[in-house]
Amino acid sequence: MTTSLPTRLHHTAYVSRDLEATRHFYEDILGFPLVATWCEQEELFGRERTYCHCFFGLADGSALAFFSFADPADQAEFGPELAPSPFRHIALNVDAAAQADIERRITAAGIEPPATYVLEHGYCRSVYAVDPDGMIVEFTRDAPGADKINAARLEDAHAELKRWLAGDHRPNNDVRHFVEATQ
């Protein structure tokens, strides 16, 4: 079966408690330009909603988008107050230079753990930062040899999922302890 896949992320959307704090974090600290602000009023989910929708651009033309509602009841209904989880995040691909620059910007802004941290996954190195609304943004750079690592995981993806679902929860990450010599 041949499937047409999306060509890239267009945008991913979240709700912000404070659009100016969100703008400052993404634009001033991380360097993502504010590329559009749409102020809208329309019938949504059974009633008229008034909201602002801001887009922060990524190099490939995609964007991170954030909503804020004029009516406090709408903000409460759709807002970011859902329990934060490190497993609810956005991961963005970066190269080594971009990752180093982002780490520098985070440090210069005075953002410290637990609002920022680094994980060496083996197949990639990830820098995490928590935005003003508690959303985690991950900046991921692939490990050297990622093509070979990804090919191995592609080959056994279905078998590994079947194994896990059957109750065999042994780890299969044999590259976890990757540490690049240039770090």
Side-chain angles (χ1 to χ4, degrees), residues 51-73:
Y51 60 92
C52 184
H53 198 193
C54 294
F55 290 78
F56 297 88
L58 302 176
D60 69 353
S62 64
L64 299 182
F66 296 88
F67 288 93
S68 183
F69 294 87
D71 183 336

Side-chain angles (χ1 to χ4, degrees), residues 93-101 140-142:
N93 187 63
V94 293
D95 61 20
Q99 193 177 64
D101 186 48
T140 301
R141 125 177 110 82
D142 287 338

Side-chain angles (χ1 to χ4, degrees), residues 98-164:
Q99 193 177 64
D101 186 48
I102 287 166
E103 285 184 272
R104 181 193 57 74
R105 289 169 183 244
I106 290 168
T107 300
I111 300 172
E112 298 179 357
T116 185
Y117 52 97
V118 175
L119 289 178
E120 300 286 351
H121 296 286
Y123 49 88
C124 67
R125 178 179 190 271
S126 295
V127 173
Y128 298 84
V130 180
D131 84 358
D133 292 304
M135 184 180 71
I136 298 170
V137 185
E138 176 183 358
F139 301 94
T140 301
R141 125 177 110 82
D142 287 338
D147 290 344
K148 183 178 177 183
I149 294 166
N150 293 341
R153 286 287 75 91
L154 176 61
E155 187 174 305
D156 68 5
H158 287 92
E160 286 297 295
L161 176 59
K162 185 176 181 178
R163 178 181 68 81
W164 175 269

